[in-house]
Amino acid sequence: MKCLGRDEMEMFLTRSVVTDRSGMADHIAACSDCQRLKDALLEEQEQWAREMYAETLPESFTDQVMSALRDEEIEPVTPTPMTERAGRVAVKRSRKIWWVTVGVASILVLLSVASFYSIPTVAEIIRSLFSRNNVDIGLLRAQEFGLVQHPNIKIRDKGYTLKIDEAVADPTRVIVAVQLFGPDGKHERERLKLSEEGSRILVKDEQGKVIGKLYDMGATNDFYYLVAFFPEPIQSNRITIEGQIGIIDGDPWDKGFPAIKGNWNFEFPINMTEAQKQTKITELQGEYTSPGGMTVRLKRLTRMVQGVRLELDTELSPEALIRSPGDLWQKQELIFHFEDAAGSEIHSVNTRKSPRRDSLMTQSHIPGDKPGQMQLSYTFKYLPENQPYRFVLDGYFVAEQDGSSVSFAPARLQEEPVFFRAGGDDIRLKGFTIEQPPNTNGKETEGTLHVDGELWNEPSPDDWIVQDSGGKEYPVSERGVSSSKGSGWKDGMIELREDYEFRIPGMLTVPERLTLIRNVVNKRYVNVDWLVEMNGSSENHNKEGLVGSIQQFGDLNLHIGRNEEAKGQRRKLSFLL
């Protein structure tokens, strides 16, 4: 199994819809990288909780109340005649009454505090999108700018009530908080299933065109955290959220409950005018060409209330395009990170460095106007706005035709392991078995090639095949735990753990001989050297080894180095955003 991304880990931690929860748990337990990501997310949530709830009652609150009440004079009750014995009893009883009075007063104080926290404006913070377990910078900014809208949707049918109190939208994403209450008044967290065939919630523009679909991101047990990300910033000043809810899942816990059909459809608009006003677009210029033949062009930075989108174009040279025939050239991905002026990491994308930070919300990869060209965009929860930081290109990977292979006798692997070595990848073939359902990926018998080792290149699922001695080919799927490990921005390997397997559906017996063939390699390139100063001053800067001419492009200063190491490889950009 490949290491979990940030979104996958968030869904796992919040028990959102995850199809392979037990597999993920096993992977996280064995993977130091995923453990660090898990700990970082939990620490991040706790940090936001501390900042959001700094004004919660201290642990000493009750003691302080009791101490204050002890100093208060309580008007005595008019005494009644009594004997000395009776008087002693009466004194004891009055003390007990005093403590009961104090206790009642304390309860009343605590109840008054509780009633304060049930006021809608405060409850909005405690029981909403801004709860302590679910806070991100984009949501806080949306609240700051007054972009949180309250549709006040409440629909009841067949004893079930669907309720929507909050929605947030900007050109980056839409977030809707949905609750579903059963006949007993309790929130049913697992019974609302959104799918293409069943219930669904759509996002439409002003012309009624569907521009997104909401899915359950998890993040809380108190409501359905529904999100739709947009691959490109939407331009509408008004969008509509349309719910088509006709069925409630009857059996999320395998208890035999019947599905419930009804009508919980809804529709409400979201005014995007203010969100559009808060959107700032900065056109970027400048490009870099790597020795491997990829050109990266800066395009646009879009600051929105809930996120920041960086757009770039990439293009392969004619020589590089030959290595990626067909549609392989469309499988391009960049490796980069942002750092502050002191060199400390802000975010990173596709890096193997550990530890690392990741606030990537969504990304898109769209083919350009001609073969080799791609339009890439990355949306982050935030990027610094009033302080300098840098974009640093660390590398890229692209799918290329391969054909590397190794032949072996499956029955002898346990005694005589065989190695697949190509392009920096080192995989040990150490055993072969035939597996029957249910210990397979489906209902079919599978051959299983047991492997471990390390990959320099990016994993490329479905790009392997095996061929028997008669020339028959079988597809290969991968299964097992893998993790990345690296200490720097450009190093690191993907480690295939001991339980990693190449599964071969349809192989019923152990063949006498097999050939493992990798048709496509997701080749990783790190021989790049380019950084961009963001939010910097307009003054010109030189890095060590970089002296030379300055070419002006609008608000952007392009520095071109003259030394041989930097020539054609390193370009530094300094501009204001």
Side-chain angles (χ1 to χ4, degrees):
M1 176 180 288
K2 188 177 180 181
C3 284
L4 278 67
R6 185 185 179 90
D7 290 345
E8 293 173 315
M9 183 66 76
E10 287 178 347
M11 287 191 288
F12 176 83
L13 291 175
T14 56
R15 301 193 65 82
S16 183
V17 180
V18 175
T19 56
D20 186 18
R21 178 168 296 279
S22 60
M24 284 188 175
D26 293 342
H27 173 80
I28 294 170
C31 177
S32 58
D33 290 338
C34 286
Q35 280 282 355
R36 278 188 286 269
L37 175 59
K38 176 184 174 183
D39 294 342
L41 288 177
L42 292 174
E43 181 181 351
E44 179 181 309
Q45 292 174 358
E46 182 60 29
Q47 179 181 351
W48 278 111
R50 289 194 297 268
E51 295 180 6
M52 287 280 296
Y53 296 90
E55 297 182 359
T56 53
L57 295 176
E59 294 181 359
S60 59
F61 175 77
T62 302
D63 293 338
Q64 292 173 5
V65 171
M66 297 297 289
S67 176
L69 286 173
R70 280 194 177 93
D71 296 334
E72 293 294 326
E73 292 186 5
I74 300 177
E75 185 177 344
V77 179
T78 303
T80 57
M82 60 186 70
T83 63
E84 184 178 350
R85 174 184 285 277
R88 285 197 295 269
V89 173
V91 169
K92 291 180 181 179
R93 186 176 299 166
S94 66
R95 288 175 180 172
K96 183 183 291 185
I97 293 173
W98 186 88
W99 279 106
V100 170
T101 304
V102 170
V104 172
S106 301
I107 293 172
L108 289 175
V109 171
L110 293 172
L111 287 175
S112 66
V113 173
S115 65
F116 167 75
Y117 276 89
S118 65
I119 296 173
T121 54
V122 181
E124 177 182 72
I125 297 176
I126 295 179
R127 299 193 306 270
S128 73
L129 291 169
F130 306 92
S131 63
R132 66 177 61 202
N133 291 326
N134 176 53
V135 175
D136 68 46
I137 292 176
L139 284 174
L140 292 176
R141 287 176 59 85
Q143 187 183 47
E144 175 188 352
F145 286 101
L147 301 183
V148 181
Q149 303 192 28
H150 303 277
N152 297 319
I153 300 292
K154 190 173 183 179
I155 305 168
R156 182 178 175 83
D157 192 20
K158 304 297 175 57
Y160 286 81
T161 301
L162 185 144
K163 187 178 180 182
I164 302 176
D165 285 334
E166 292 174 315
V168 183
D170 74 359
T172 308
R173 58 177 174 170
V174 173
I175 302 176
V176 179
V178 174
Q179 288 181 298
L180 179 68
F181 298 99
D184 58 0
K186 295 182 179 179
H187 178 50
E188 300 277 4
R189 182 59 182 86
E190 302 294 333
R191 300 192 72 172
L192 180 60
K193 302 297 183 184
L194 301 179
S195 65
E196 193 65 36
E197 300 78 19
S199 298
R200 59 181 185 169
I201 302 177
L202 308 175
V203 183
K204 296 184 176 181
D205 63 14
E206 292 172 304
Q207 288 72 43
K209 179 183 177 182
V210 176
I211 57 176
K213 296 182 179 68
L214 292 165
Y215 70 93
D216 184 13
M217 191 174 178
T220 176
N221 292 323
D222 298 326
F223 55 88
Y224 293 88
Y225 185 90
L226 305 184
V227 180
F229 292 105
F230 304 118
E232 296 293 330
I234 60 175
Q235 305 298 319
S236 297
N237 287 323
R238 183 179 183 274
I239 61 175
T240 300
I241 309 300
E242 181 181 300
Q244 302 170 0
I245 312 297
I247 189 169
I248 294 175
D249 186 19
D251 204 11
W253 310 280
D254 297 325
K255 292 184 178 180
F257 297 154
I260 300 172
K261 294 184 178 181
N263 183 354
W264 297 272
N265 294 342
F266 62 87
E267 181 179 308
F268 64 89
I270 294 182
N271 190 325
M272 299 285 292
T273 305
E274 189 61 33
Q276 294 290 4
K277 289 180 182 178
Q278 300 298 332
T279 299
K280 176 185 177 182
I281 300 176
T282 302
E283 299 295 334
L284 307 179
Q285 300 181 56
E287 66 180 47
Y288 167 81
T289 299
S290 74
M294 174 182 279
T295 297
V296 182
R297 299 185 182 91
L298 293 171
K299 187 176 180 182
R300 184 180 302 117
L301 191 77
T302 304
R303 289 189 176 275
M304 298 158 285
V305 171
Q306 294 189 73
V308 183
R309 185 187 306 272
L310 175 67
E311 296 177 63
L312 313 94
D313 288 343
T314 61
E315 183 174 358
L316 298 179
S317 67
E319 294 77 16
L321 193 57
I322 293 175
R323 300 192 296 266
S324 302
D327 61 358
L328 291 181
W329 60 267
Q330 297 182 17
K331 299 178 182 179
Q332 301 178 33
E333 184 58 90
L334 297 180
I335 308 170
F336 61 92
H337 72 275
F338 295 99
E339 62 185 31
D340 62 21
S344 298
E345 179 190 358
I346 301 172
H347 314 303
S348 60
V349 175
N350 294 318
T351 185
R352 295 177 184 173
K353 181 178 179 293
S354 180
R356 57 180 177 265
R357 296 177 179 270
D358 178 13
S359 77
L360 184 66
M361 291 196 298
T362 184
Q363 57 183 304
S364 66
H365 300 69
I366 302 173
D369 297 331
K370 65 178 184 178
Q373 288 184 346
M374 291 294 296
Q375 300 170 358
L376 310 181
S377 74
Y378 304 86
T379 302
F380 303 90
K381 287 184 178 178
Y382 76 98
L383 283 174
E385 189 167 4
N386 299 313
Q387 57 186 352
Y389 65 101
R390 305 183 187 105
F391 165 88
V392 184
L393 180 65
D394 300 310
Y396 63 94
F397 47 90
V398 58
E400 296 182 356
Q401 203 167 34
D402 188 15
S404 301
S405 65
V406 62
S407 296
F408 56 94
R412 298 185 59 82
L413 286 179
Q414 192 167 358
E415 293 78 21
E416 299 177 9
V418 173
F419 290 86
F420 174 95
R421 292 186 172 118
D425 301 328
D426 191 354
I427 303 175
R428 182 176 66 145
L429 285 55
K430 60 182 183 179
F432 191 92
T433 58
I434 299 295
E435 303 291 341
Q436 305 289 339
N439 190 30
T440 61
N441 287 330
K443 299 180 180 180
E444 200 174 359
T445 300
E446 294 178 344
T448 301
L449 181 58
H450 303 273
V451 305
D452 58 22
E454 293 183 331
L455 301 178
W456 165 256
N457 299 294
E458 284 296 304
S460 49
D462 304 322
D463 291 331
W464 298 83
I465 63 169
V466 293
Q467 187 179 78
D468 63 21
S469 54
K472 183 178 180 179
E473 295 182 350
Y474 298 82
V476 173
S477 62
E478 300 177 42
R479 175 171 162 174
V481 176
S482 66
S483 62
S484 61
K485 58 178 183 179
S487 59
W489 293 115
K490 295 185 179 183
D491 62 14
M493 304 290 286
I494 299 292
E495 182 180 11
L496 307 181
R497 300 295 180 86
E498 293 182 359
D499 64 342
Y500 210 85
E501 301 168 344
F502 285 176
R503 291 293 185 122
I504 311 167
M507 185 164 285
L508 306 180
T509 60
V510 178
E512 183 178 343
R513 196 153 191 87
L514 282 177
T515 300
L516 176 67
I517 305 170
R518 184 170 65 183
N519 289 324
V520 175
V521 58
N522 219 4
K523 191 166 182 180
R524 182 168 174 244
Y525 292 87
V526 296
N527 56 339
V528 300
D529 200 354
W530 188 43
L531 63 83
V532 179
E533 294 285 352
M534 315 284 273
N535 281 355
S537 69
S538 58
E539 299 177 359
N540 298 330
H541 303 275
N542 283 322
K543 196 176 180 70
E544 184 179 354
L546 278 180
V547 293
S549 62
I550 300 175
Q551 300 180 21
Q552 187 72 25
F553 292 90
D555 294 331
L556 174 150
N557 295 319
L558 177 62
H559 296 248
I560 304 177
R562 287 177 176 168
N563 59 320
E564 284 300 313
E565 178 183 358
K567 187 176 182 181
Q569 297 184 31
R570 182 193 297 263
R571 295 178 182 178
K572 179 178 178 182
L573 309 176
S574 177
F575 56 92
L576 286 172
L577 296 181

